[in-house]
């Protein structure tokens, strides 16, 4: 029996996790409708994955982009199942529950035990007393503001209001470095950490919300990866039937014309009935410019500072004094340029040979973009010097590697929710055009996949109905 004629062609720009999620979800919709839909993914690089990039060197598994993902999106679990990767999902080692912050010249454990936390020295007596008062702090509700951009509280101000300035400075600000590589004073609480804002609105207190979650038996989202690395997922999605992936085809422009779009790439023009843009910033802004100059201008206001990821592998004996843990973050003002360090071989099994200690150190971001521009040798020397000072590792590495991301993590500045509303107001009237990726609705891998899937589903339904 021959297939029905294609209902149209969907072109997805960007073969990273978000773009491939859009392509996969569109193919699912086509199968559900019993229809044929041509789905083409155009990827600029020579392989899929975007920043989800796994490399292998010297018997090591190297994650140059995201280390893992949060298991907090049902559509992500659905996609993993569709790819046959459910048996490949890897949970972290128990030791990864231990995390540290480097402050006051030493590593201090961010313990879940109230007594151990109080003894850690992360907060002083005044800071601890103020933190304990969090349930008594009046909540900020929607009626307290007029909804303008000036009312979009920064994450630092949100944390200071709820937990005290000492906790905001010593706890929240370092944690933000590990997620956004950004400054808590320059990030929107509502956009960057919507769950925290929702917890306050629902329960009037973060502590009360956490207690309610424990009473319900609701575990926090788990940190996961794959046995063969994070790039396993985009590679598996690209191999699914119903999706055509064309690598080494950089898209240079998108234009509206007639009832569809013309997608110009390095390999020539491609006609499309619908388009999902899942490119990173600032490239996404340039592509959106072809359909909405106002939306493109708004996207160009979202900074994506550079980052460098330095891997250093040490032989057995160099780090025997280090307690197995996820790693540590560095409070600003310590004279350390490193944002944080992840202990890869202590977090996920299979990252290196037995006895090897693989560290992954992060530099740059909005707090120190110049660090990402240092040469490879300078970055390695800086990493070794700072690992010696922070973690006490005084040995020559057996292997080193440097990965660079010129435009790493979008920074959701105060006013971001209002900017998102303006971008969506400009793009929503353009039938068949969708913006995926992590520029608007969350920088985490799982959230970017959820956004991509939503765009793919919407685009497919438009073409199939």
């Amino acid at each position: 029996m021959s297939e029905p004629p294609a209902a149209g062609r969907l072109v997805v720009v960007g073969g990273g996790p978000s773009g491939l999620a859009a392509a996969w979800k569109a193919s699912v919709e086509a199968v559900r409708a019993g229809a044929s839909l041509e789905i083409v993914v155009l990827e600029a690089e020579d392989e899929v994955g975007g920043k989800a990039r796994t490399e292998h060197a010297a018997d090591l598994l190297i994650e140059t982009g995201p280390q893992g993902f949060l298991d907090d999106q049902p559509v992500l679990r659905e996609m993993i199942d569709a790819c046959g990767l459910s048996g490949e999902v890897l949970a972290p080692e128990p030791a990864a529950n231990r995390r540290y912050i480097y402050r006051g010249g030493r590593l201090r454990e961010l313990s879940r035990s109230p007594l151990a936390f109080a003894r850690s020295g992360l907060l002083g007596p005044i800071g601890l007393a103020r933190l304990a008062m969090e349930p008594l702090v009046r909540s900020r509700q929607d009626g307290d503001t007029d909804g303008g951009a000036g009312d979009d509280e920064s994450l630092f101000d949100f944390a200071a209001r709820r937990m005290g300035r000492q906790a905001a400075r010593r706890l929240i600000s370092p944690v933000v470095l590990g997620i956004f590589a950004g400054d808590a004073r320059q990030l929107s609480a509502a956009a960057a950490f919507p769950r925290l804002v929702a917890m306050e609105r629902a329960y009037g207190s973060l502590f009360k919300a956490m207690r309610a979650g424990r009473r319900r038996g609701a575990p926090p989202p788990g940190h996961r990866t794959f046995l063969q690395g994070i790039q396993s997922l985009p590679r598996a999605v690209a191999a699914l039937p119903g999706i055509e992936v064309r690598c080494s085809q950089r898209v240079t422009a998108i234009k509206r014309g007639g009832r569809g779009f013309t997608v110009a790439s390095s390999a020539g023009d491609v006609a499309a009935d619908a388009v999902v843009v899942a490119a990173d910033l600032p490239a996404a802004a340039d592509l959106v410019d072809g359909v909405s100059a106002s939306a493109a201008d708004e996207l160009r206001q979202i900074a994506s500072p550079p980052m460098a990821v330095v891997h250093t592998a040490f032989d057995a004996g160099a780090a025997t004094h280090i307690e197995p843990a996820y790693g540590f973050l560095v409070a600003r003002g310590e004279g350390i340029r490193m944002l944080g360090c992840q202990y890869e071989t202590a977090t996920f099994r299979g990252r290196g040979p037995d006895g090897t200690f693989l560290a992954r150190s992060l530099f740059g971001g909005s707090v120190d973009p110049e660090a990402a521009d240092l040469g490879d040798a300078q970055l390695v020397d800086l990493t070794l010097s700072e690992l010696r000072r922070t973690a006490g590792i005084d040995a020559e590495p057996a292997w080193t590697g440097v990965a660079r991301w010129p435009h790493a993590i979008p920074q959701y500045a105060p006013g971001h929710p209002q900017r998102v509303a303006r971008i969506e107001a400009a793009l929503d009237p353009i039938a068949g055009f969708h913006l995926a990726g992590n520029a608007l609705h969350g920088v985490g891998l799982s959230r970017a996949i959820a956004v991509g899937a939503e765009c793919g589903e919407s685009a497919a339904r438009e073409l199939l109905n």
Side-chain angles (χ1 to χ4, degrees):
M1 184 176 177
S2 62
E3 288 189 2
R9 177 186 289 157
L10 168 63
V11 172
V12 178
V13 181
S18 191
L20 288 167
W24 161 73
K25 194 62 173 176
S27 70
V28 169
E29 283 299 305
V31 171
R32 182 192 61 79
S36 176
L37 184 63
E38 185 180 359
I39 303 168
V40 178
V41 179
L42 302 180
E43 166 55 40
E45 303 299 326
D46 58 4
E47 62 175 333
V48 297
K51 290 188 175 72
R53 190 60 55 97
T54 304
E55 298 178 357
H56 297 270
D59 295 324
L60 303 167
L61 192 153
I62 305 297
E63 301 288 16
T64 64
Q67 179 202 42
F69 59 90
L70 281 180
D71 183 23
D72 63 346
Q73 299 289 337
V75 72
L76 171 56
R77 293 191 287 272
E78 183 185 347
M79 188 167 79
I80 290 171
D81 289 344
C83 293
L85 289 177
S86 296
E88 300 290 309
V89 175
L90 187 63
E93 296 293 289
N97 288 322
R98 302 185 69 177
R99 300 171 186 233
Y100 293 83
I101 291 177
Y102 184 82
R103 197 196 75 78
R106 68 182 181 91
L107 294 176
R108 302 171 188 271
E109 187 173 358
L110 189 57
S111 176
R112 296 180 182 181
S113 162
L115 184 58
F117 176 77
R119 290 175 173 172
S120 70
L122 281 168
L123 298 182
I126 294 176
L128 289 168
R130 174 62 180 83
L131 181 62
M133 293 173 60
E134 193 274 339
L136 305 178
V137 176
R138 178 181 178 273
S139 64
R140 187 188 195 206
Q141 301 298 330
D142 290 338
D144 296 338
T145 69
D146 61 14
D151 293 320
D152 186 23
E153 202 171 19
S154 77
L155 180 60
F156 184 91
D157 288 343
F158 175 89
R161 177 172 58 79
R162 293 235 53 91
M163 296 180 283
R165 296 187 69 80
Q166 193 176 109
R169 186 173 66 254
R170 297 184 185 183
L171 298 180
I172 301 303
S173 291
V175 168
V176 169
L177 293 175
I179 301 172
F180 277 85
D183 183 350
R185 298 176 188 272
Q186 301 300 322
L187 290 171
S188 159
F193 289 84
R195 284 179 179 165
L196 292 181
V197 175
M199 287 163 67
E200 180 189 35
R201 287 177 177 167
Y203 294 93
S205 159
L206 304 182
F207 286 3
K208 290 178 182 177
M210 288 187 285
R211 283 197 295 269
R214 286 194 293 268
R215 285 195 298 269
R216 293 195 308 271
H223 188 51
R224 300 288 185 266
T225 188
F226 298 96
L227 285 170
Q228 298 303 316
I230 201 72
Q231 200 172 359
S232 300
L233 183 59
R235 286 170 174 162
V237 177
L240 290 173
I243 301 172
E244 179 187 352
V245 177
R246 304 177 187 175
C247 290
S248 302
Q249 294 197 17
R250 184 176 299 277
V251 174
T252 56
I254 300 172
K255 300 293 184 184
R256 298 171 69 183
R259 298 178 59 185
F261 304 86
T262 298
V263 181
S265 80
S266 55
D269 290 352
V270 180
D273 298 291
V275 173
V276 174
V277 173
D280 290 331
L281 293 172
D286 294 337
L287 298 178
V288 168
D289 206 351
V291 297
S292 172
S294 62
D297 289 343
E298 293 283 0
L299 285 167
R300 292 188 179 104
Q301 302 306 308
I302 303 173
S304 294
M307 288 187 68
V309 182
V310 182
H311 282 86
T312 46
F314 299 90
D315 292 332
T320 54
H321 63 286
I322 295 178
E323 289 283 344
Y326 181 81
F328 63 88
L329 296 163
V330 181
R332 297 297 86 185
E334 294 291 327
I336 301 289
R337 299 189 76 175
M338 181 188 297
L339 305 180
C341 177
Q342 295 160 329
Y343 302 166
E344 294 288 272
T345 41
T347 300
F348 291 115
R349 62 183 172 90
R351 307 298 98 167
D354 289 345
T356 299
F357 182 81
L358 177 62
R360 171 180 137 119
S361 304
L362 308 176
F363 294 88
S366 71
V367 295
D368 187 12
E370 295 79 13
D373 293 330
L374 296 173
D376 285 4
Q378 290 175 294
L379 276 169
V380 170
D381 287 347
L382 179 62
T383 300
L384 296 178
S385 171
E386 296 193 342
L387 285 178
R388 188 179 305 117
R389 180 174 165 186
T390 55
I393 300 176
D394 192 7
E396 286 299 312
W399 182 87
T400 64
V402 178
R404 299 176 184 277
W405 299 106
H407 306 284
I409 303 174
Q411 302 294 296
Y412 295 172
H416 186 82
Q418 292 78 17
R419 171 166 288 120
V420 170
R422 293 192 295 270
I423 292 171
E424 292 181 339
L427 295 180
D428 283 351
I430 304 173
F433 189 86
H434 303 269
L435 179 62
N438 65 358
L440 301 184
H441 297 293
V443 300
L445 186 68
S446 61
R447 185 64 188 135
I449 285 173
V451 171
E454 182 180 340
C455 289
E457 182 177 54
S458 296
R461 288 182 175 179
E462 289 172 357
L463 295 177
L464 296 169
N465 290 335

